[in-house]
């Protein structure tokens, strides 16, 4: 955990702190890149939650848990080794029944950084903030303000906090985690992929060949995939297909990422785009219950390691781009 005095001395913003903390974990963590390169072990990226839970969940109340959004969703999924998808801050945990002993023990368990901004309403006539209590007590007046366009939504500067997985706070008095079904649980991976392409607005063309390479050709807006029958299993094929599909969201008519189709292997630009594609494919596979496969070649991992060491903002930016790619593919649905 980054000490407050260190933060003040370094004069870092919340996004900069998030970049440093997350990058440190991905490079030097137990399942990080350095260990994967040195010992040939699998790099972590994602261990996954139970099949029905498509994203890490934020504890809002004893019985209300909402999915994290954006980069926080991806980073928590990447770094957590827990089976429970719910995360909670220390103060909220105390409010919901965490014992003094469990709270004291939090210094010995893994914490996770999340970066966020708060948004709150301002009365344009009075220029004062509108409190949640006032909104609850005056629903009719609140609706009138909104109908008359008298509300301005102000966003705070990015902030950060540390959260913990609920498994590490056994005294918490939370409702049981509800059983959640996948959006298309009765579909096979092949049917899911076909339906995603069918429903995706402005989808790229997909062709198969007898070659040995999978790639996205930006000039023709075409994904080229190896014949599915040449893969060892269906999951391996669709994990690869989603990787290339995320690349395709970088096209000018979609998310318009400049590194797509313009960078050489080993360059920082190449590594950044590959990171976006890997993270996006990882989350898509998790949403659909597909076991992910990743490229663990040392050359591939070294390209990421070099890029992350040279630019600590890379991971922070890549997670946001990956989330935008997922929204583009799924039509903005937060499944």
């Amino acid at each position: 955990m980054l000490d407050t005095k260190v933060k003040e001395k370094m004069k870092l913003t919340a996004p900069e702190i998030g970049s440093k903390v997350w990058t440190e974990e991905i490079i030097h963590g137990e399942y990080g890149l350095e260990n994967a390169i040195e010992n040939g072990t699998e790099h972590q990226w994602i261990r996954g939650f139970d099949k029905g839970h498509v994203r890490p969940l934020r504890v809002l109340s004893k019985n209300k848990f909402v999915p994290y959004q954006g980069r926080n969703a991806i980073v928590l999924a990447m770094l957590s080794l827990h089976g429970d998808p719910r995360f909670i801050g220390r103060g909220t945990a105390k409010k919901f029944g965490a014992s003094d002993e469990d709270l004291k023990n939090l210094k010995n368990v893994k914490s996770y950084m999340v970066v966020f901004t708060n948004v709150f309403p301002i009365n344009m006539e009075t220029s004062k903030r509108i409190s949640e209590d006032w909104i609850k007590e005056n629903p009719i007046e609140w609706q009138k303000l909104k109908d008359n366009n008298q509300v301005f939504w102000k966003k705070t500067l990015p902030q950060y906090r540390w959260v913990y997985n609920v498994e590490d706070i056994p005294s918490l008095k939370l409702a049981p985690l509800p059983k959640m079904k996948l959006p298309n649980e009765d579909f096979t991976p092949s049917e899911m992929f076909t339906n995603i392409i069918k429903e995706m607005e402005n989808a790229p063309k997909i062709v198969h060949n007898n070659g040995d390479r999978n790639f996205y050709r930006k000039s023709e807006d075409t994904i080229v995939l190896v014949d599915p029958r040449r893969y060892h299993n269906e999951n391996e094929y669709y994990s690869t297909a989603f990787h290339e599909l995320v690349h395709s969201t970088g096209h000018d008519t979609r998310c318009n990422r400049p590194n797509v189709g313009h960078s050489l292997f080993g360059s920082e630009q190449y590594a950044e785009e590959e990171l976006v594609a890997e993270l996006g494919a990882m989350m898509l596979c998790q949403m659909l219950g597909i076991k992910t496969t990743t490229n663990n070649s040392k050359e591939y991992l070294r390209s990421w390691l070099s890029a992350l060491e040279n630019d600590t903002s890379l991971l922070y930016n890549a997670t946001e781009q990956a989330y935008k790619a997922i929204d583009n593919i799924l039509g903005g649905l937060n499944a």
Side-chain angles (χ1 to χ4, degrees):
M1 185 179 296
L2 197 64
D3 185 84
T4 303
K5 292 182 179 179
V6 175
K7 173 225 170 184
E8 292 175 350
K9 183 177 179 180
M10 297 173 72
K11 300 297 183 182
L12 299 178
T13 65
E16 289 170 337
I17 293 170
S19 297
K20 287 184 177 295
V21 171
W22 292 338
T23 300
E24 181 80 9
E25 181 76 15
I26 291 300
I27 292 177
H28 305 296
E30 181 180 358
Y31 295 96
L33 292 172
E34 286 184 338
N35 193 43
I37 293 171
E38 182 177 351
N39 301 314
T41 56
E42 181 179 4
H43 62 93
Q44 183 173 323
W45 298 124
I46 188 167
R47 293 284 160 149
F49 298 120
D50 291 339
K51 185 177 178 182
H53 299 284
V54 296
R55 287 193 184 157
L57 301 174
R58 177 187 171 200
V59 177
L60 286 187
S61 68
K62 291 184 177 182
N63 56 10
K64 185 175 182 180
F65 320 117
V66 299
Y68 278 95
Q69 305 294 327
R71 55 172 63 90
N72 288 325
I74 295 178
V75 170
L76 288 174
M78 286 171 64
L79 298 182
S80 174
L81 298 178
H82 295 86
D84 195 307
R86 294 173 294 179
F87 294 84
I88 190 170
R90 183 186 182 91
T92 308
K94 183 176 182 179
K95 180 180 177 182
F96 296 155
S99 67
D100 291 340
E101 182 179 355
D102 278 351
L103 292 174
K104 184 178 180 180
N105 189 52
L106 288 181
K107 65 182 180 181
N108 300 317
V109 303
K110 185 172 179 58
S111 59
Y112 305 86
M113 174 179 281
V114 293
V115 177
F116 63 96
T117 56
N118 285 324
V119 180
F120 54 85
I122 299 292
N123 186 320
M124 295 179 66
E125 184 175 348
T126 64
S127 299
K128 294 183 178 180
R129 178 172 177 171
I130 304 172
S131 69
E132 292 184 8
D133 290 340
W134 186 90
I135 292 174
K136 291 178 182 179
E137 295 170 0
N138 303 276
I140 297 177
E141 289 82 352
W142 167 239
Q143 188 61 48
K144 286 181 180 178
L145 285 176
K146 292 193 294 183
D147 291 342
N148 294 327
N149 296 318
Q150 290 297 307
V151 177
F152 168 74
W153 292 91
K154 184 175 181 179
K155 182 182 292 187
T156 65
L157 292 173
Q159 304 171 56
Y160 75 91
R161 67 165 56 106
W162 298 91
V163 296
Y164 304 85
N165 190 270
V166 300
E167 287 183 350
D168 292 322
I169 314 176
S171 58
L172 273 174
K173 294 178 172 33
L174 301 178
L177 191 63
K179 295 292 183 182
M180 299 174 68
K181 296 184 67 176
L182 289 166
N184 296 306
E185 191 167 13
D186 297 330
F187 286 67
T188 64
S190 58
E191 290 172 312
M192 291 178 186
F193 183 77
T194 300
N195 277 277
I196 285 175
I197 296 299
K198 181 179 178 181
E199 296 298 325
M200 181 179 174
E201 185 177 350
N202 184 32
K205 182 180 179 181
I206 297 179
V207 299
H208 295 87
N209 63 20
N210 293 321
D212 59 0
R213 290 180 60 235
N214 301 283
F215 58 91
Y216 169 64
R217 183 179 289 128
K218 184 178 180 181
S219 60
E220 300 176 8
D221 196 19
T222 299
I223 293 174
V224 179
L225 299 172
V226 174
D227 190 316
R229 293 169 294 183
R230 298 182 61 186
Y231 284 82
H232 295 297
N233 57 66
E234 193 175 51
N235 285 348
E236 184 179 347
Y237 169 75
Y238 288 107
S239 179
T240 302
F242 280 131
H243 180 101
E244 301 304 334
L245 186 59
V246 174
H247 276 314
S248 76
T249 64
H251 192 271
D252 302 349
T253 61
R254 300 184 187 99
C255 298
N256 192 24
R257 293 193 303 276
N259 292 334
V260 176
H262 295 291
S263 303
L264 297 175
F265 178 84
S267 68
E268 290 188 25
Q269 292 81 8
Y270 177 89
E272 180 174 357
E273 177 58 27
E274 284 301 302
L275 191 55
V276 171
E278 195 72 34
L279 295 175
M282 169 193 82
M283 288 299 289
L284 286 168
C285 285
Q286 185 191 38
M287 289 176 180
L288 300 175
I290 298 173
K291 180 177 174 59
T292 59
T293 59
T294 55
N295 185 340
N296 280 321
S297 72
K298 290 189 176 183
E299 292 78 10
Y300 196 71
L301 297 181
R302 282 197 182 102
S303 70
W304 282 349
L305 179 61
S306 175
L308 288 169
E309 287 179 329
N310 291 334
D311 182 3
T312 57
S313 68
L314 176 59
L315 180 63
Y316 191 86
N317 294 332
T319 52
E320 184 69 7
Q321 293 302 320
Y323 189 80
K324 290 179 180 179
I326 293 170
D327 271 358
N328 182 270
I329 292 169
L330 299 180
L333 295 176
N334 292 317

